[in-house]
Amino acid sequence: MTKKKKKTALVFFPAFDWAISPTHPEREERLLYTQDQIFEEGLLDFDNIVEYKPGIATVEDINRAHICVPDAQSVTMEPHLISAGGAITAAEKVLSGQADNAFALVRPPGHHAMLVVHGARGFCNINIEAIMIEYVRKKYGVKKIAVVDTDCHHGDGTQDIFWHDPNVLYISVHQDGRTLYPGTGFPDDFGGPNALGATINIPLPPRTSDEGFLYALDNLILPILDDFQPDLIINSAGQDNHYSDPITDMRFSAQGYALLNEKLSPHIAVLEGGYSIEDALPYVNVGIILAMAGIDYSHVREPDYNSAALKQSDDISRYIEKMVQYIGNQWKQRHAIKEKLVGSAKHAGRKKNIYYDTDNISEQQEETVRICRDCGGVVTIDSTADTGNRIFAVIIPALSCDACRREGEDIFEKTEKGKYRHVYLQDKDRGVYLAK
Amino acid sequence: MILGIDVGGTHTDAVLVEGCDVRRKAKVSTDASHLLTSLSRAVKAVLEGENPLKLRRVVLSTTLSTNAIVQGKVDKVGIVLPSGPGLSPSHFQLKDPVHFVSGYVNHRGIEMAAIDEDEIAGLASTFHDQGIRHAAVVGKFSTRNPLQELAIKDMIGGRLRHVSLGHRLSGNLNYPRRVATAYLNASVWETYNHFVGQVLDFIREQNISAPIYILKADGGTFKISDSAEYPVQTILSGPAASIMGVLSIVSCHEDAVVIDIGGTTTDIALFARGVPLLEPLGVTIGDYKTLIRGMKTKSVGVGGDSAVSVEDGNLKIGPRREGVAAAFGGPCPTPTDAMIVLGLTSIGDRQKAAEAIDAVAKEMKSPVEETAERIVGQMCGIIASHVGQVIEDVNNRPVYTIHELLEDARLQPRVLYLVGGPAKPLSANLGKLLGCSVFVPEHAEAANAIGAALARTTAEITLLADTERKVLTVPETGTQVKIPAHFKMADVIKAGEDMLRREAVNMGADEEDLELEIVESQEFNMIKQFFTTGKNIRVKIQVKPGLIAVLQ
Ligand SMILES: [Zn+2]
Ligand SMILES: [Zn+2]
């Protein structure tokens, strides 16, 4: 098999001296056997695979993507800054032209971290992809970005951050939320009123195997990407869809992950979850790295791989076909749906209850967005957590129109600190972050 | 007295070191097709009139294996690879056919597939029929469990002269490199052993009864009998000899750069706090990336005799060498000629040097002096930029812990040791470019042989304790022993130090002069379903490369 070789930057940072707690899945040895396998297969000796040290993300980097309560320093530790820094380094190598694509094999993950951060949820404090995305928008002026999240859990954090953003297409393929944490991510969750279709959720039934994933990829994800025409494709490369993962119930394999990566051909892949540290991660990561670098991966296989035993049922196949068709139709009608949904309203609002499982915090949010035809719309959030912190935030979106910016600045100006711990203003285009 | 010998590509050097002094030294040119002749001429020159019985040790650095590999004068090897799945077989292309066989172990050393005895027996017959007498057996992750390699050796060894096993050559992970290393070891084994026989005969004829050691690529020594088993460890010992020699002359304790400027090439090496820096995985020879522990050196294609030419109005130096400098009757202008013109050195025929540089000056349409300055400046610039790159490479080496990343220890050499013919003439220029104080050590022309003479025995051992499986594996010695479930880091280190001390003394080290260093120590909890089931403890210990004495 001859493939076109690509120059692949690998940011590998296993953080061997850090764990959430000694027996937590997110612990020191998580990438130990992955490191062994990468080293033993000699991947770093390939001329077109170059390893880089991760950078360290700054408070400024975090404040482009999050509203941290009370501030970024209080909700992050060095491991989070390095993990986000690793994602930024990966993006930096691609956008500066030093590499064709890049893989940030870093931990801890980030896709459950939402826009407002009161603490850690789903092993995540800050959203490393979102921080990377805001970094490349600010530094390189990248306009249209697609995130394909192949972690087994719905990336509710990434969805939340880009919910109103028509320029970031977030596609999540995950185990059905009725059967797994965080219990969200259904086909009708389709993006905010100004960004309908920019969020796509593909919940797959438990025990879906390679066949089902690749069906959704070929028949839904790739066609949508073709329509959307992103300047940059990012893979949130969670590996907990693997058949051996201890906390999920899917049947994806190393070959499946590699093939998905080859077809998707992301510019940047960022590791998310994946906790089968001995039986899956070593093989899945080798497969992904080879696929990204355009090197033959057809001989990569888990020692216990058995395609017959992993085959999905016909019921599952039929179910997926139907769902793919439903979501595909929604996508085609996204503009019409918007007209119907929005009507003549000036603003739209929603209420959210958010639970931080890792830190045991409950939060209530009231979010309002200005209906806008010219940009993602200015967003305001009133958030109260049972830590006693209540905050108010104004977010002026990336590529904002003048009207939304004026309205945002105006609201920030007029909102008194009063009952709030802080009132924040985040202006993505101007790189402004204020707190009072 | 110690006798140090370096049989290099161009010259063979011998020195006699007594205490902290170089008592005698000799240099003869190397006859590549009769290395023993060159060796005996150099040795006889320094031993003449000496009492050979007063010799305490003899250390030899030889280019034999290196030459055999680079020139492809190697034996056919039967390559047997129980590799399991992973990288495509197309990535394992060696000079001889590769045989992938059943069987492999995983990253924890657990057998995932058994070897097939009939398949191996078939291979043994094939090798016999093809007249193959040397084999290399290399399993993926065999450093984590050597049993399959050992079993295959038992099955095929009977009809072969020698079988090289992957796990014995290094404890580092990297299967393609392990395959290449074992292949190279097997391919030069016969040639090398023939040479060892000759050397031993010659030494006996000279009435020398002292133990004989061979220099390795890491600048350490091992017994000649051990070298007969692992000849590949002797590749690239030449540069290592020179670096150890410089170290013995200058007694350095800080970060430093060593530059050896030769006729055709310039070699760069680094000291980190006075210890020569090794390649993280292993040295590269020709097209082969290996797991041979060796010094990190970089060879740059410029030297004193590099051809200087003008291309499109630009000066070009090297990488060609047409012959000696014009000042010595050579065919074309060289940096050496430029140095002569500038009065930086007074060797050779000044007139001829000036004529050669004048020709370049005319083409460049600039005055002779200025042209000579530009040649020297450009040569130093090339060397300095490579030095900068090597330092940057080292400083950009990935780290895998938060502690190391935040600590960000960087190499910052402020001292430069310059050896080789043009060392003195170029010292001011290079020192300025690199921001270093420059030293041009004495006896540098025999640094290689001195380095060989004074090098310490080195060895390294890698230990993996898996307390869930209750197994301790040490690839370098091919051992796998049972350990109790409560085995701890301290126990692993203690076991490792004992083993390494024994090993090093067996290899010829002086028990009194053994400096052990823990290079790596990591400990991980193994957890199944939120319960700790054991520990995975990884330790690497080395005998620090160094010298048994420093010259005064
Ligand atoms: Zn997950
Ligand atoms: Zn707007």
Side-chain angles (χ1 to χ4, degrees):
Chain A
M1 211 189 313
T2 50
K3 297 171 195 266
K4 197 180 169 303
K5 277 201 180 171
K6 290 184 179 171
K7 190 158 186 195
T8 298
L10 184 66
V11 181
F12 179 61
F13 194 74
F16 283 146
D17 48 355
W18 182 77
I20 288 182
S21 72
T23 59
H24 195 283
E26 192 51 70
R27 63 179 183 273
E28 294 92 340
E29 71 182 310
R30 185 166 161 233
L31 292 175
L32 181 65
Y33 305 105
T34 291
Q35 181 198 53
D36 287 349
Q37 202 76 31
I38 290 173
F39 283 9
E40 178 69 348
E41 298 289 1
L43 297 190
L44 300 176
D45 276 338
F46 280 93
D47 291 338
N48 59 322
I49 300 175
V50 185
E51 188 182 8
Y52 295 96
K53 266 191 213 176
I56 301 175
T58 62
V59 166
E60 200 188 347
D61 293 329
I62 298 170
N63 287 345
R64 269 187 227 111
H66 288 292
I67 306 290
C68 296
V69 185
D71 52 42
Q73 288 92 330
S74 311
V75 296
T76 53
M77 292 185 299
E78 272 128 1
H80 310 116
L81 302 180
I82 297 169
S83 191
I88 289 176
T89 304
E92 189 70 47
K93 297 299 162 193
V94 176
L95 286 149
S96 65
Q98 292 177 66
D100 297 317
N101 56 30
F103 186 12
L105 204 39
V106 295
R107 56 177 283 265
H111 76 153
H112 296 304
M114 298 191 167
L115 177 55
V116 177
V117 178
H118 286 278
R121 45 192 313 279
F123 321 161
C124 306
N125 290 53
I126 50 175
N127 194 306
I128 61 178
E129 281 98 346
I131 290 169
M132 172 182 84
I133 286 170
E134 297 301 358
Y135 177 90
V136 301
R137 292 215 270 204
K138 187 84 191 86
K139 175 144 185 215
Y140 291 95
V142 179
K143 292 214 158 60
K144 291 176 86 178
I145 297 172
V147 181
V148 179
D149 188 331
T150 53
D151 189 280
C152 191
H153 301 91
H154 175 231
D156 52 352
T158 314
Q159 169 175 300
D160 181 66
I161 293 173
F162 298 109
W163 182 253
H164 294 294
D165 194 329
N167 297 300
V168 177
L169 170 63
Y170 176 69
I171 303 178
S172 178
V173 44
H174 48 264
Q175 184 177 325
D176 194 315
R178 288 168 295 190
T179 60
L180 188 69
Y181 177 90
T184 51
F186 298 101
D188 288 333
D189 301 331
F190 202 51
N194 298 325
L196 278 173
T199 297
I200 301 282
N201 280 299
I202 313 168
L204 298 176
R207 294 181 290 286
T208 297
S209 60
D210 290 4
E211 193 191 330
F213 280 93
L214 296 167
Y215 182 87
L217 179 73
D218 289 335
N219 296 286
L220 189 59
I221 299 174
L222 293 180
I224 289 177
L225 288 175
D226 243 18
D227 272 357
F228 184 73
Q229 288 291 313
D231 303 311
L232 200 65
I233 298 178
I234 295 158
N235 179 203
S236 274
Q239 304 178 357
D240 36 12
N241 282 302
H242 193 265
Y243 63 80
S244 65
D245 198 275
I247 62 179
T248 63
D249 190 16
M250 296 300 250
R251 291 184 174 174
F252 210 28
S253 73
Q255 274 296 313
Y257 266 109
L259 183 57
L260 178 141
N261 231 277
E262 186 182 2
K263 290 184 166 204
L264 185 62
S265 190
H267 297 94
I268 304 155
V270 179
L271 177 69
E272 278 293 336
Y275 301 96
S276 174
I277 61 175
E278 273 186 49
D279 299 329
L281 266 59
Y283 310 103
V284 172
N285 282 309
V286 165
I288 292 179
I289 294 167
L290 290 175
M292 288 187 83
I295 299 167
D296 184 358
Y297 58 79
S298 60
H299 293 259
V300 175
R301 186 162 45 74
E302 303 84 344
D304 62 350
Y305 179 73
N306 178 343
S307 67
L310 293 172
K311 205 173 155 22
Q312 73 192 26
S313 70
D314 292 344
D315 284 353
I316 290 179
S317 301
R318 275 195 301 276
Y319 178 89
I320 294 174
E321 279 164 33
K322 264 200 208 146
M323 183 175 54
V324 160
Q325 199 182 5
Y326 174 78
I327 300 171
N329 283 336
Q330 290 235 104
W331 167 257
K332 285 189 198 113
Q333 294 162 26
R334 61 193 182 280
H335 302 299
I337 296 175
K338 179 175 177 176
E339 294 308 320
K340 214 163 76 192
L341 199 77
V342 171
S344 59
K346 292 262 186 306
H347 289 90
R350 58 172 179 163
K351 287 188 179 173
K352 291 185 279 184
N353 292 311
I354 297 162
Y355 179 59
Y356 294 69
D357 58 312
T358 307
D359 280 351
N360 192 20
I361 297 171
S362 289
E363 177 197 1
Q364 278 85 44
Q365 269 190 26
E366 272 189 60
E367 181 196 90
T368 309
V369 62
R370 177 176 183 266
I371 301 298
C372 183
R373 281 169 204 284
D374 303 318
C375 76
V378 64
V379 173
T380 59
I381 295 172
D382 190 326
S383 153
T384 309
D386 60 5
T387 53
N389 285 328
R390 180 171 181 189
I391 62 104
F392 188 81
V394 181
I395 293 106
I396 300 175
L399 304 170
S400 147
C401 71
D402 286 343
C404 284
R405 163 158 298 112
R406 268 198 310 276
E407 181 170 318
E409 285 168 349
D410 198 43
I411 297 171
F412 178 69
E413 172 97 40
K414 286 183 181 147
T415 308
E416 305 253 335
K417 196 172 167 191
K419 57 197 169 192
Y420 299 112
R421 171 102 190 246
H422 288 296
V423 176
Y424 304 87
L425 175 72
Q426 182 185 62
D427 181 340
K428 299 208 179 198
D429 287 337
R430 297 198 174 155
V432 169
Y433 187 87
L434 300 174
K436 58 181 179 188
Chain B
M1 278 193 315
I2 301 171
L3 172 60
I5 312 154
D6 176 41
V7 184
T10 328
H11 293 110
T12 296
D13 292 281
V15 292
L16 211 52
V17 178
E18 189 167 33
C20 295
D21 294 304
V22 175
R23 186 181 161 102
R24 294 175 75 166
K25 54 188 176 185
K27 191 186 273 294
V28 303
S29 51
T30 300
D31 176 353
S33 47
H34 300 97
L35 293 186
L36 193 73
T37 316
S38 319
L39 182 148
S40 71
R41 278 175 54 214
V43 170
K44 282 176 182 161
V46 292
L47 280 187
E48 207 191 331
E50 303 282 351
N51 177 4
L53 294 174
K54 280 172 72 185
L55 280 177
R56 196 151 60 80
R57 71 186 215 141
V58 177
V59 187
L60 170 64
S61 156
T62 162
T63 185
L64 180 87
S65 301
T66 310
N67 283 357
I69 291 166
V70 172
Q71 293 162 9
K73 292 179 181 158
V74 291
D75 289 313
K76 243 177 118 98
V77 178
I79 305 163
V80 186
L81 307 182
S83 72
L87 214 55
S88 158
S90 63
H91 291 290
F92 297 88
Q93 274 166 7
L94 295 160
K95 252 183 116 191
D96 297 314
V98 175
H99 304 274
F100 294 94
V101 299
S102 319
Y104 75 101
V105 302
N106 76 355
H107 39 72
R108 278 184 65 193
I110 302 169
E111 184 175 83
M112 291 286 124
I115 43 181
D116 175 346
E117 295 194 16
D118 294 338
E119 186 184 20
I120 303 296
L123 262 186
S125 310
T126 309
F127 293 161
H128 185 74
D129 295 346
Q130 294 175 345
I132 289 173
R133 313 202 55 205
H134 306 89
V137 180
V138 193
K140 192 170 286 175
F141 283 116
S142 63
T143 52
R144 295 280 160 87
N145 179 352
L147 296 180
Q148 290 189 338
E149 281 184 5
L150 290 165
I152 294 176
K153 181 185 178 178
D154 275 351
M155 290 179 224
I156 62 172
R159 295 161 89 175
L160 296 168
R161 288 270 295 158
H162 186 259
V163 180
S164 298
L165 299 181
H167 70 268
R168 292 297 174 99
L169 296 163
S170 164
N172 288 340
L173 293 179
N174 190 312
Y175 189 55
R177 282 181 184 248
R178 193 176 314 118
V179 171
T181 309
Y183 159 74
L184 292 175
N185 196 62
S187 75
V188 298
W189 189 88
E190 199 69 53
T191 310
Y192 184 81
N193 274 270
H194 179 70
F195 178 69
V196 164
Q198 288 181 323
V199 170
L200 290 175
D201 287 346
F202 166 74
I203 296 286
R204 215 168 296 128
E205 280 163 27
Q206 304 303 307
N207 277 325
I208 297 171
S209 56
I212 303 160
Y213 300 95
I214 304 289
L215 194 74
K216 299 183 294 174
D218 68 354
T221 63
F222 61 162
K223 267 196 216 150
I224 195 164
S225 53
D226 290 322
S227 80
E229 184 67 16
Y230 306 115
V232 71
Q233 303 281 6
T234 69
I235 60 167
L236 303 181
S237 63
S242 301
I243 294 163
M244 295 312 286
V246 170
L247 199 58
S248 73
I249 299 166
V250 301
S251 107
C252 160
H253 297 286
E254 63 269 271
D255 292 353
V257 183
V258 187
I259 303 179
D260 182 350
I261 308 171
T264 324
T265 59
T266 294
D267 295 315
I268 301 163
L270 298 171
F271 294 155
R273 285 181 224 155
V275 180
L277 220 62
L278 302 183
E279 281 288 356
L281 272 181
V283 296
T284 298
I285 179 165
D287 291 336
Y288 300 104
K289 289 179 171 160
T290 77
L291 286 177
I292 302 302
R293 216 173 107 97
M295 287 185 189
K296 185 173 179 68
T297 54
K298 179 158 191 180
S299 198
V300 183
V302 293
D305 297 343
S306 293
V308 174
S309 57
V310 180
E311 274 176 26
D312 307 324
N314 295 316
L315 266 182
K316 193 164 179 279
I317 305 174
R320 269 179 317 116
R321 175 184 188 262
E322 300 280 323
V324 291
F328 293 94
C332 68
T334 66
T336 301
D337 296 312
M339 292 174 225
I340 296 169
V341 166
L342 293 175
L344 294 170
T345 175
S346 53
I347 54 170
D349 183 332
R350 195 163 200 288
Q351 183 66 29
K352 282 185 184 163
E355 281 164 19
I357 298 301
D358 189 46
V360 181
K362 287 215 167 76
E363 252 187 284
M364 299 285 297
K365 299 189 181 71
S366 65
V368 178
E369 284 260 327
E370 202 185 304
T371 307
E373 252 165 43
R374 279 172 70 177
I375 295 171
V376 170
Q378 186 162 330
M379 175 176 181
C380 291
I382 294 171
I383 296 171
S385 84
H386 278 95
V387 170
Q389 254 173 46
V390 178
I391 294 172
E392 204 184 303
D393 274 5
V394 171
N395 285 336
N396 285 339
R397 263 182 206 173
V399 295
Y400 300 121
T401 59
I402 289 160
H403 171 76
E404 289 169 287
L405 190 78
L406 298 177
E407 188 186 55
D408 194 25
R410 300 182 82 77
L411 197 68
Q412 285 173 320
R414 286 288 161 261
V415 177
L416 166 62
Y417 299 111
L418 262 185
V419 297
K424 278 220 169 82
L426 297 184
S427 59
N429 204 325
L430 277 171
K432 205 171 140 202
L433 280 174
L434 293 169
C436 288
S437 28
V438 188
F439 297 90
V440 179
E442 249 185 286
H443 292 303
E445 72 289 350
N448 47 351
I450 299 170
L454 298 178
R456 206 188 240 166
T457 296
T458 54
E460 181 178 72
I461 110 176
T462 313
L463 299 102
L464 172 69
D466 186 327
T467 67
E468 188 187 65
R469 298 179 58 222
K470 303 194 188 66
V471 173
L472 174 71
T473 308
V474 185
E476 289 90 345
T477 55
T479 32
Q480 243 193 353
V481 293
K482 284 227 139 258
I483 49 168
H486 55 75
F487 221 59
K488 287 186 190 57
M489 176 62 86
D491 301 320
V492 179
I493 290 177
K494 171 85 174 53
E497 284 179 340
D498 289 349
M499 267 184 199
L500 183 58
R501 200 167 283 126
R502 263 200 314 276
E503 180 82 1
V505 170
N506 271 339
M507 286 169 67
D510 179 355
E511 193 147 19
E512 306 293 298
D513 183 42
L514 262 186
E515 202 181 331
L516 301 190
E517 181 185 31
I518 297 166
V519 194
E520 234 177 81
S521 62
Q522 290 178 306
E523 179 178 352
F524 299 92
N525 288 326
M526 289 189 282
I527 288 154
K528 294 270 154 71
Q529 311 293 340
F530 295 91
F531 291 102
T532 306
T533 54
K535 279 184 193 302
N536 190 301
I537 305 173
R538 299 165 173 209
V539 173
K540 207 183 246 305
I541 312 174
Q542 69 164 352
V543 179
K544 232 174 159 175
L547 301 158
I548 54 173
V550 174
L551 297 182
Q552 277 161 358

